[in-house]
Amino acid sequence: MNLTKLSRFLSFILRHDPGAIGITVDEHGWADVQELIEGIAKTRYMDMAVLEEIVSTDEKQRYSFNEDKTLIRANQGHSIPVDVELPEAKPPVILYHGTAEGFVESIEAQGLKRQSRLYVHLSVDPQTAKIVGSRHGKKHGKPVIYEIHADEMCKDGYVFYLSVNGVWLTKSVPAQYITRL
Ligand code: HQG
């Protein structure tokens, strides 16, 4: 059993397409744990012990259970329109965004857009941003890191949210607030 592959499938279901296993999530992104296990178990190995292990060992802490573990949701990264009750927060002076060379021209003209997700994803350190930017592979080129002037954005009224797993999120970042490293 490959937990990483199962975790990827879990994030696909909870963030993007619960219908793929015939389940729904509520307006706050919660899925019923029993339905989820049964849905995944149709095509893969899944039970409560495996699910608990994925949630507790996930290196980015992508998932949360509710208190009695009858519900589960992804902490961030959704493309489906759910409100995971992200708290608004004051970001550090600088945040970072990792992308690939192929997107640079468009980003520097338009700023950062949320694309298919609900928010633009930002990290507190350039190392994490580099890893994020390295996911695009040969097709889009080498990783590129942008500094985001989050303090200036705040002063100008832009709102930031902090997910429970430490990812900073905002609706968009106009080009004037980004500097290529
Ligand atoms: C780019 C993973 C052209 C943007 C990661 C990015 C992250 C533009 C891509 C999380 C653009 C969207 C999110 C513009 C933005 N023109 N391209 N105007 N504005 N882009 O995957 O931030 O492992 O939706 O730079 O680690 O790469 O799944 O967002 O390259 O934390 O938990 O459009 O997903 O986390 O790609 O990644 P994505 P992302 P997980």
Side-chain angles (χ1 to χ4, degrees), residues 124-163:
V124 289
D125 61 278
Q127 293 80 7
T128 305
K130 189 169 180 189
I131 294 168
V132 174
S134 307
R135 288 159 44 248
H136 301 281
K138 281 201 187 118
K139 189 163 167 223
H140 298 292
K142 292 195 183 124
V144 170
I145 304 171
Y146 285 110
E147 262 186 10
I148 309 300
H149 300 278
D151 57 338
E152 286 175 30
M153 287 181 68
C154 270
K155 258 186 250 150
D156 295 343
Y158 289 87
V159 177
F160 288 79
Y161 304 93
L162 180 59
S163 73

Side-chain angles (χ1 to χ4, degrees), residues 80-118:
I80 49 171
V82 295
D83 170 12
V84 292
E85 303 149 296
L86 293 166
E88 253 185 70
K90 191 176 179 312
V93 174
I94 298 286
L95 285 168
Y96 299 89
H97 178 82
T99 190
E101 261 172 359
F103 302 126
V104 160
E105 203 182 315
S106 168
I107 288 173
E108 291 178 9
Q110 306 176 349
L112 290 169
K113 308 250 183 203
R114 65 192 179 88
Q115 309 296 58
S116 64
R117 301 191 199 248
L118 299 178

Side-chain angles (χ1 to χ4, degrees), residues 11-17 62 74 76-80 117:
S11 74
F12 166 72
I13 297 297
L14 293 175
R15 290 168 168 178
H16 309 301
D17 194 3
R62 292 178 177 90
Q76 39 69 227
H78 298 80
S79 58
I80 49 171
R117 301 191 199 248

